[in-house]
Amino acid sequence: MPGNVSDQSQLPFEDTEPQPEFKPRELGRVVRVLPDVGGIDRPFDYLVPQEWENDGRGDALEVGSRVRIPFGARRVAGWVVEDQVNPPEGVNLRELTKLSGKGPSLEIIEMSHWASYRWYGRVSAVLKTASPTRNINRLPATRSGVQINAVSPSWAIKALEKPRRVLRMPPSEDPLPLIKAAVKMGDTLVVVPSIEMSKELSQNLDKLGIPVALLPDQWAEAAVGGIVIGTRSAVFAPVRKLAAVIVLDEHDESLKEERMPTWHAREVAAERADRAGVPCVLVSPTPSLEALQWGELQTFPKIDEYKSWPEIKVIDRRSEDPIRTGLLSDALVPLIRENNAEPTICVLNRKGRSRLLACTHCGELVRCDSHQTPLIQDEEEIFTCPIDGERRPQVCNFCGSTKFKNLRAGVSRVREEIEALARQPVIEITSETEGDIPECNLYVGTTAVLNRFPKASQVIFLDFDQEILAQKFRANEQSLALLAHAARLVGKKENGGKLIVQTRQPDHEVLRAAIEGDPDLLSSSELQRRKLLNLPPFTALAKISGPSAPIFMKALGKPKEAEIMGPKNGSWLIKTSRSEELARILSQVERPSGRLRIEVDPYDV
């Protein structure tokens, strides 16, 4: 190859093979392809083989198509992001090797570029989320319009009248009337926080004769019209002619992508609806402060909202000795011994047997020698450091005693105590629990237990102070959302469901908001606090961590538009006044090699 001509897809891979003969660029059609390769986030130009134009593959090739390309010494997957390209001078182009199938539309490609910029990540990571899980060469027939004759309730019609609406729907209300009202307008995208919720909605709509495309499996059906339902990745789903977007439980943390870029389905849904010029409705029993700042709030009548919440019994533990009484108060005994049609669920958001122990002989706390943090007692009764996982025998370092007092029991220890107190079997459930759960009257677990049941007779929060006192600026918001989740399981007041909360802060605003069925009691004061403390939604945050974080922060420097905090535990926080400003500052820094995590809009801060 002449010295003044380059092949832009050649990279210095060690595994080299004889390369195919290069084709001159004047052979015809050129497309621009973004490779699905880690560490590469720029497109390259390729020739469309002449035989594709003859056998029909050329007609099927379009922007968004998934293809395979020669890349260095390998063949890799990629997406066509531009067609009929005029390539740069002096570059020998290689040919596409395979047309794999259909992929994201131009609209979704543009959304992917926006999301990767807004949350600092690779475009290919978003395009992978937006692509079908299997190769699709052709789409099914276009679905005919759905006729819904039932009259929609006035609140559902009103919710769809404005482009930006936040609907505060009480925990026990059914969102189905809102979805049916949206379907009357045309193709509708519904984003939900869990697979269970998407399946339940799909089944209910199927019973009404409304065709549903359930993502991610029915990507092709979604592309030809109708109603599309799925979890957070569905926000990038193909929709033939988008007419409305609905996000259910927009406050739920599962709507935020954990991998980089850490986009949030709520924000992406709002942006997508805005670009399409269609209404977007964010639905939640406890709307996030971000949602309240984004759109116009619509509520149900006060009396209806109050009745939709269950009876909430608060057990005040201020007068009890926390050392002698432990987690199970006397008032709980008759409650956990009840036999009801639906199970009783006890919630304690602490794994293991113990999170804090003290020697019964000398009184010293059990701590890690290196980090001075309390050691955890696991199910094997071994002390474990929560930071580095180092394990040591159950022996006091100060006096050699082997007897300890459990000051902060974990869910495994509490299960044993409840079982003895209730005189019946108790099943423990955490996020690690897999498979089917045996039938039982009593369950205890972390907050993950609430996701495993559609109904419960009563939900008991054994230590609610742990939630409202958590060292996170969103603690109050998350605590009320947790109560709303439990309220949905036990049902309305008239159905007899009960929500029991043990606390030493019975007058806390989170509890008052739940008892009175009025989230305004929390959101109004929380908004004022956040504004005073200069926290989201009035500012934008990014958390930088990983081995390469120091290199990134050094390259970032000290921009005058940003406040930089840290390092603390190997991570930094960057704060700016607006998300657009944060995205611009981050985009100006070249990503270093090595592991780096940039979490934009972090939850646990």
Side-chain angles (χ1 to χ4, degrees), residues 142 186 211 224 228 311 323 388-389 413 451 484 489 502 515 520:
T142 302
V224 297
V228 180
E311 175 191 350
I323 303 298
D388 60 13
R413 177 60 183 269
N451 298 320
L489 298 186
Q502 290 195 137
I515 291 170
D520 275 341

Side-chain angles (χ1 to χ4, degrees), residues 241-311:
K241 193 175 181 180
L242 189 64
V245 179
I246 297 173
V247 182
L248 299 181
D249 283 353
E250 60 79 22
H251 66 274
D252 199 296
E253 294 180 25
S254 63
L255 290 175
K256 182 175 177 60
E257 175 61 57
E258 296 177 357
R259 298 164 297 182
M260 288 179 60
T262 57
W263 50 267
H264 198 296
R266 174 188 61 228
E267 313 292 337
V268 178
E271 177 72 15
R272 186 172 180 183
D274 185 57
R275 293 186 179 202
V278 301
C280 178
V281 185
L282 305 181
V283 185
S284 171
T286 59
S288 64
L289 300 189
E290 283 79 5
L292 293 174
Q293 290 296 104
W294 168 83
E296 183 177 334
L297 178 64
Q298 176 183 331
T299 63
F300 282 64
K302 289 287 186 183
I303 186 63
D304 293 344
E305 202 164 7
Y306 172 76
K307 289 180 179 179
S308 183
W309 283 76
E311 175 191 350

Side-chain angles (χ1 to χ4, degrees), residues 162 198 295-296 353 376 397 476 542:
K162 293 288 183 70
S198 65
E296 183 177 334
R353 291 183 57 80
I376 298 171
N397 278 354
N476 287 342

